[in-house]
Amino acid sequence: MNLKHDILIIGAGLAGLRAAVECLGQADVAVVSKVFPTRSHSGAAQGGITAALGNEEEDRWEWHLFDTVKGSDYLGDQDAIEIMVRDAPRVIYELEHMGVPFSRTPEGKIAQRNFGGHTRDYGKRPVKRACHAADRTGRVALDTLYDQCLCHQVKFYSENYVLSLVFDRKKCSGVVAYDLPTGEIRLLQAKAVLLATGGCGRIYKTTSNGFASTGDGMSLAYQAGVPLEDMEFVQFHPTGLYPLGILVSEAARGEGGLLRNRLGERFMERYAPTVKDLAARDVVSRAILTEIRERRGIGGRDYVHLDLTHLGEEKIEERLWEIASFARIYLGIDPVYDPIPVQPTCHYLMGGIPTDVDGRVLGDEKSSPVPGLYAAGECACVSVHGANRLGCNSLLDLLVFGRRSGLAMKRDISKDEYPILSEESLSNVGSKVRGLLDQQGREKSDSIRKEMQAVMVQYGSVFRNDEGLKKGIEAIRFLKERYGEVRVSDHGKAFNYELVEAIELGHQLELSEVILLSALQRRESRGAHWREDFPRRADRYYLKHSLAFPTPKGPEIRYKPVKITKFQPEARVY
Ligand SMILES: Cc1cc2nc3c(=O)[nH]c(=O)nc-3n(C[C@H](O)[C@H](O)[C@H](O)COP(=O)(O)OP(=O)(O)OC[C@H]3O[C@@H](n4cnc5c(N)ncnc54)[C@H](O)[C@@H]3O)c2cc1C
């Protein structure tokens, strides 16, 4: 059975739903999601969304722009960042009008809190810029947008797993999807397809990301010949719950939480004398791991303490309830009385599918658009986060560029007809799936996945070097060979998660190789990409975006310029 819609949105996180809302009433729009929509990872966002509202203290979009550019280690495209920060207050009021129950100041204004790297007066001191709904901001925003979609009868293909993009004479014209409840594989046709498939944190062993964050959309675009931009920039959040990696949001430090080593020292005073615990994430993660390397981890082990005990029970219960409950449930620790053990955890990918500021996917270093294909959210790279994202700038990115993608798709398809597609695309994917089911090899996806995750933690995390990256690439290439021997033992049609996980593993291996190779070729340290053998930023050679192109021999790295408008690169100190 073939189905047709004007616009197909792959992904029901905040980026996808915001794009869908923009198309309501003016185009026939459908959303495809491998998980039930409200289980999308956006629902896990705790801390908030940034906007220079100035509700708690003076703030300006120009300061937000400066902080984001500096946070990106000058790799973010400043034209795109300016669009985002200028649009931010509108985004917040729009969410409020849709029904998001933001926390309030005593006067009834939307409350704001501190977050790492957000300052006033161009870096002089921290500013309260993150609008939040306690520590459940993503949850309430996702539910609100889902509500909007339901009210307007947006068609949802829930628990549908997209297997492939379909192209007709170089124009993206739909997708092939596996309907998990029935096991049917079908073609969904469209005049425009938006990838809003989220991040890929699950390629690392220690991560704050949920099980669905396997990078499918990026890999699907890459398989279709689209390059991937700035993939070496993987963010490690400083405070993952030790040893699980579950996130303890920066909101905890925004509300006054302090990091301490085994001597009880506030060690961030040494690494970021001005903003201390509220420095950007890459800086804090490196500081924690340096403390651990220099044997100042708690009890000589590989974690430090996040101390909330001085905040008092009332503040913790009111503003950090979810974070406190995670510590209680998973570690049996009550943060009201005891410090929380934390270590850096893989959190966010700054790179992704290259797009223009309206979500159009760019197919080469000359920025030629790929007709019919759009991307938004964590799977995309506009690029507003450059080499390091500031906290609470992701939800803003999703909402600003999700909306702009919706607007662009509506405009771009106005004169388009549905392409007449061949059944060949469908049968090609069908035979790929059958091939995987029929494979008689001896390998299990689960063991390859575990090895991949360990390789990525060992060679591709916070500290990197030439030797380790080369070893990592070799190990991943070997795992890719073994992947060819994977056997799926469940041959059932409906809800065949063993099959889905095997397909996801293929995507993860592809992206692992791209990340390590992009990292190997950037011989400098910038933002989240820290090379022990090249510990300085080298603007002369590397103030440019990397683009990894697929070739039969593996990724080929080329580069394109960064857009600089207002702020020339400077030394980045906090
Ligand atoms: C624990 C945690 C807390 C965070 N807190 C904050 C915060 O406070 N503020 C902030 O700004 N950022 C925060 N972030 C980052 C932010 O939440 C994410 O970057 C963002 O939610 C990603 O949204 P998205 O719409 O791009 O994708 P997601 O919300 O991840 O949604 C991806 C969608 O794609 C679908 N999908 C994927 N692959 C397929 C496929 N093959 N077929 C069909 N569907 C598919 C999934 O089903 C899902 O619906 C946090 C991240 C984490 C992990």
Side-chain angles (χ1 to χ4, degrees):
M1 180 180 39
N2 294 349
L3 300 153
K4 284 185 188 173
H5 297 278
D6 292 339
I7 293 171
L8 261 188
I9 293 172
I10 318 305
L14 280 174
L17 295 189
R18 184 60 193 83
V21 165
E22 201 53 41
C23 302
L24 294 175
Q26 292 168 54
D28 166 19
V29 55
V31 180
V32 187
S33 174
K34 67 178 176 180
V35 299
F36 188 78
T38 51
R39 290 184 66 91
S40 299
H41 205 51
S42 294
Q46 299 168 339
I49 313 173
T50 42
L53 297 184
N55 282 356
E56 308 253 4
E57 54 188 322
E58 188 191 352
D59 199 4
R60 301 188 193 155
W61 68 260
E62 291 90 338
W63 297 344
H64 192 181
L65 172 65
F66 170 79
D67 291 338
T68 306
V69 171
K70 178 178 170 184
S72 80
D73 220 345
Y74 296 89
L75 195 75
D77 284 330
Q78 296 183 18
D79 57 341
I81 300 175
E82 183 165 339
I83 288 175
M84 179 175 84
V85 299
R86 292 183 85 141
D87 199 22
R90 187 200 56 75
V91 165
I92 301 297
Y93 297 134
E94 179 182 79
L95 282 182
E96 186 193 31
H97 293 169
M98 285 180 185
V100 169
F102 283 110
S103 298
R104 298 281 158 179
T105 65
E107 312 83 63
K109 292 181 182 170
I110 292 172
Q112 298 187 276
R113 59 162 62 121
N114 289 120
F115 248 78
H118 291 281
T119 68
R120 51 176 299 170
D121 286 327
Y122 304 103
K124 295 240 166 51
R125 61 184 173 81
V127 73
K128 293 184 174 175
R129 187 176 285 151
C131 308
H132 54 94
D135 53 0
R136 289 173 291 261
T137 315
R139 175 77 279 137
V140 293
L142 191 67
D143 290 349
T144 304
L145 284 179
Y146 184 56
D147 245 22
Q148 294 284 321
C149 290
L150 291 185
C151 289
H152 294 88
Q153 275 106 37
V154 169
K155 167 78 184 163
F156 278 90
Y157 293 96
S158 294
E159 298 184 306
N160 266 251
Y161 185 86
V162 170
L163 295 161
S164 171
L165 300 174
V166 175
F167 284 82
D168 175 62
R169 277 157 286 164
K170 302 207 167 149
K171 181 177 187 296
C172 187
S173 308
V175 302
V176 175
Y178 164 40
D179 180 36
L180 281 141
T182 62
E184 196 186 342
I185 291 176
R186 54 196 184 179
L187 181 62
L188 304 174
Q189 267 185 259
K191 298 176 187 171
V193 174
L194 173 75
L195 290 169
T197 45
C200 63
R202 278 276 151 187
I203 61 179
Y204 286 84
K205 182 168 169 231
T206 310
T207 177
S208 63
N209 285 198
F211 285 100
S213 300
T214 50
D216 305 1
M218 287 179 265
S219 173
L220 289 174
Y222 185 68
Q223 282 166 20
V226 174
L228 295 178
E229 182 171 342
D230 290 341
M231 293 293 281
E232 58 272 44
F233 298 104
V234 180
Q235 178 165 81
F236 281 74
H237 193 292
T239 57
L241 211 57
Y242 177 85
L244 306 168
I246 294 171
L247 189 74
V248 180
S249 167
E250 211 166 298
R253 278 172 290 135
E255 296 291 353
L258 301 173
L259 290 164
R260 296 187 191 280
N261 61 18
R262 95 180 147 78
L263 308 169
E265 287 173 335
R266 278 191 70 186
F267 58 85
M268 280 313 299
E269 288 175 347
R270 275 187 272 123
Y271 298 88
T274 310
V275 294
K276 304 180 181 76
D277 300 78
L278 289 172
R281 288 174 179 172
D282 56 330
V283 176
V284 184
S285 285
R286 278 194 296 276
I288 292 176
L289 291 175
T290 304
E291 291 296 299
I292 290 169
R293 281 178 164 195
E294 293 176 1
R295 298 175 187 278
R296 289 188 294 277
I298 306 299
R301 299 183 54 200
D302 48 352
Y303 64 89
V304 295
H305 272 151
L306 173 63
D307 186 2
L308 308 183
T309 53
H310 53 288
L311 299 183
E313 186 164 7
E314 199 181 322
K315 191 166 184 180
I316 292 177
E317 293 306 331
E318 188 200 322
R319 310 233 183 130
L320 304 169
W321 178 86
E322 191 164 285
I323 291 165
S325 76
F326 284 171
R328 287 177 189 131
I329 293 167
Y330 293 107
L331 300 184
I333 281 175
D334 189 342
V336 174
Y337 308 106
D338 296 305
I340 310 173
V342 290
Q343 70 171 176
T345 184
C346 174
H347 186 60
Y348 184 85
L349 181 74
M350 269 70 72
I353 304 164
T355 70
D356 68 9
V357 294
D358 294 311
R360 294 185 190 93
V361 170
L362 306 175
D364 55 31
E365 60 273 54
K366 293 191 197 100
S367 296
S368 324
V370 178
L373 189 60
Y374 302 75
E378 193 172 335
C379 71
C381 182
V382 184
S383 119
V384 284
H385 310 301
N388 172 68
R389 171 173 76 82
L390 291 190
C392 294
N393 267 356
S394 169
L395 296 193
L396 180 59
D397 164 9
L398 311 176
L399 295 162
V400 169
F401 295 102
R403 170 174 172 269
R404 291 179 71 95
S405 307
L407 282 167
M409 288 190 291
K410 271 192 315 196
R411 265 197 314 264
D412 294 353
I413 62 162
S414 58
K415 294 191 194 87
D416 283 9
E417 298 294 325
Y418 284 108
I420 301 166
L421 285 181
S422 65
E423 283 289 324
E424 203 186 323
S425 340
L426 184 58
S427 58
N428 280 349
V429 179
S431 49
K432 239 201 255 171
V433 171
R434 268 189 304 280
L436 199 53
L437 284 174
D438 292 344
Q439 224 160 258
Q440 288 303 318
R442 284 172 300 159
E443 295 283 358
K444 283 284 202 197
S445 318
D446 196 39
S447 42
I448 296 183
R449 183 182 314 101
K450 283 194 184 122
E451 287 183 47
M452 170 195 71
Q453 289 170 331
V455 167
M456 291 306 284
V457 165
Q458 188 172 359
Y459 300 118
S461 32
V462 175
F463 295 115
R464 301 160 170 190
N465 60 50
D466 184 84
E467 193 191 344
L469 288 165
K470 283 182 179 151
K471 279 189 186 156
I473 292 165
E474 205 179 309
I476 294 294
R477 287 186 173 156
F478 180 55
L479 292 176
K480 281 176 87 174
E481 275 172 35
R482 284 174 52 195
Y483 178 70
E485 293 285 310
V486 160
R487 179 175 186 176
V488 177
S489 46
D490 180 356
H491 286 194
K493 279 183 90 181
F495 290 112
N496 190 337
Y497 282 114
E498 196 188 338
L499 174 65
V500 168
E501 284 173 15
I503 297 169
E504 287 172 343
L505 176 62
H507 294 317
Q508 291 173 306
L509 287 166
E510 201 74 77
L511 296 181
S512 299
E513 188 186 10
V514 172
I515 289 172
L516 295 177
L517 206 95
S518 307
L520 178 69
Q521 300 214 1
R522 185 173 283 275
R523 293 148 79 92
E524 65 156 357
S525 290
R526 184 185 296 273
H529 171 69
W530 187 269
R531 288 281 302 253
E532 292 168 310
D533 42 355
F534 296 98
R536 294 228 163 76
R537 196 176 78 196
D539 289 336
R540 194 161 156 209
Y541 305 107
Y542 290 106
L543 184 56
K544 53 191 181 183
H545 297 290
S546 65
L547 287 176
F549 287 80
T551 77
K553 288 189 189 148
E556 181 189 312
I557 311 294
R558 297 183 220 157
Y559 295 91
K560 69 174 185 183
V562 176
K563 290 184 194 132
I564 294 174
T565 56
K566 291 198 163 67
F567 299 107
Q568 288 302 319
E570 287 177 1
R572 183 168 166 256
V573 280
Y574 283 98

